[in-house]
């Protein structure tokens, strides 16, 4: 009897070792699948993550090739290119049901603010995120309204997330493809999903994307860039008018200076052609 019990215990130990080994071996795949699935669901755009390089022993690693595509109707290939990402996973405290991430650091992300005749891409993304959050709030009241396929992704806890060194680039046809750039303020988030014992990946994606979008829109506002082509055109018209006013007030004897200012006014006018 003792041998039978000992053999059963050994068999259970082997099965557990296999399960744990498979989980650790595929942790990168779990993270990629969760990021792409839930990120795309939240933003209603194409979210891609090329690679997760994670040491299953230490839990340290990095993410490469994480991009958030533009919403429908915009030409630029992406709205967010999140640059280099390093992370530290609490492997001992993680499972297929809960991934505990101690730290995520996003370095030098690139955000593209694209304006077209209907508005701008970041406002559309923000609306998609807000709509998702509202829908989740409504669904949470009804426990039966889970995902349509009945699958539940792993919950996430993130102790600290930092986004540093970001740039915001404005893209609009009226600027003749000339880049207008601003610096994204550093973003620091703490204890994501901690109070609830783990947040849905979609909720985490919404919180992170909303923070980046809000920060980028603040940069654009500081640059004085309009949210639509019409408002952008009005802003550039004001610049043109100011330049022309300077031209009229210059003395005629200063022909060189007058011509330089007139050329500047003409260059700005070309933005409207």
């Amino acid at each position: 009897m003792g041998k039978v019990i000992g053999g059963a215990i050994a068999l259970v130990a082997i099965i557990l070792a296999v399960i744990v080994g498979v989980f650790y071996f595929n942790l990168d795949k779990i993270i990629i699948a969760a990021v792409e699935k839930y990120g795309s669901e939240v933003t209603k755009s194409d979210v891609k993550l090329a690679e997760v390089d994670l040491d299953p022993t230490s839990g340290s690693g990095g993410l490469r090739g994480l991009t958030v595509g533009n919403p429908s109707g915009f030409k630029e290939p992406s709205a967010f290119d999140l640059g280099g990402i390093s992370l530290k996973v609490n492997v001992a405290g993680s499972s297929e049901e809960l991934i505990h991430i101690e730290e995520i650091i996003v370095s030098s992300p690139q955000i593209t603010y694209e304006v077209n005749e209907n508005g701008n891409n970041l406002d559309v993304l923000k609306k998609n995120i807000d709509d998702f959050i509202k829908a989740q709030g409504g669904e949470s009241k009804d426990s039966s309204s889970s995902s349509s396929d009945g699958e539940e992704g792993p919950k996430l806890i993130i102790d600290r997330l930092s986004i540093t060194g970001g740039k915001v680039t404005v893209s609009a046809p009226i600027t003749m493809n000339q880049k207008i750039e601003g610096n994204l303020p550093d973003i620091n988030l703490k204890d994501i999903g901690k109070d609830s014992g783990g947040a849905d990946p979609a909720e985490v994606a919404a919180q992170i994307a909303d923070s980046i979008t809000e920060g980028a829109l603040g940069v654009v506002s500081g640059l004085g860039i309009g949210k639509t082509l019409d408002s952008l055109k009005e802003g550039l018209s004001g610049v043109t008018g100011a330049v022309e006013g300077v031209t009229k007030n210059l003395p005629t004897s200063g022909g060189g200076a007058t011509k330089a200012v007139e050329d500047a006014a003409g260059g700005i006018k070309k933005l409207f052609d």
Side-chain angles (χ1 to χ4, degrees), residues 43-46 69-75 116 118 121 124-125 128:
T43 61
K44 293 185 175 65
S45 66
D46 193 16
N70 253 330
S72 176
F74 295 90
K75 296 180 180 180
N116 67 17
N118 297 317
N121 61 335
V124 174
L125 280 175
N128 292 344

Side-chain angles (χ1 to χ4, degrees), residues 38-69:
Y38 296 106
S40 299
E41 181 181 342
V42 167
T43 61
K44 293 185 175 65
S45 66
D46 193 16
V47 174
K48 292 293 184 184
L49 175 57
E51 184 179 359
V52 174
D53 180 15
L54 185 65
D55 182 343
T57 303
S58 67
S60 298
L63 280 64
R64 286 183 284 274
L66 178 57
T67 60
V68 178

Side-chain angles (χ1 to χ4, degrees), residues 102-137:
E102 295 177 353
E103 183 179 65
I104 298 178
I105 300 176
V106 182
S107 302
S108 305
Q110 179 67 56
I111 294 91
T112 300
Y113 178 83
E114 182 179 350
V115 181
N116 67 17
E117 62 275 9
N118 297 317
N120 68 80
N121 61 335
L122 297 190
D123 271 344
V124 174
L125 280 175
K126 187 172 186 335
K127 182 180 184 304
N128 292 344
I129 295 166
D130 290 344
D131 288 347
F132 175 85
I133 293 172
K134 290 178 183 177
Q136 287 293 102

Side-chain angles (χ1 to χ4, degrees), residues 3-27:
K3 291 183 178 180
V4 172
I5 295 175
I9 293 174
L11 179 60
V12 170
I14 292 171
I15 292 173
L16 287 174
V18 170
I19 292 173
V20 171
V22 169
F23 167 67
Y24 286 161
F25 184 77
N26 289 293
L27 185 58

Side-chain angles (χ1 to χ4, degrees), residues 7-8 16 18 70 87 174 189 191 237 241 248-249 255 257 268-269:
L16 287 174
V18 170
N70 253 330
L87 74 160
I174 200 170
L189 303 175
D191 298 330
S237 293
K248 291 178 181 178
N249 291 326
I268 294 175
K269 284 182 178 179

Side-chain angles (χ1 to χ4, degrees), residues 256-270:
T258 303
K259 185 178 185 304
V261 177
E262 287 175 343
D263 288 344
I268 294 175
K269 284 182 178 179
K270 287 180 181 178

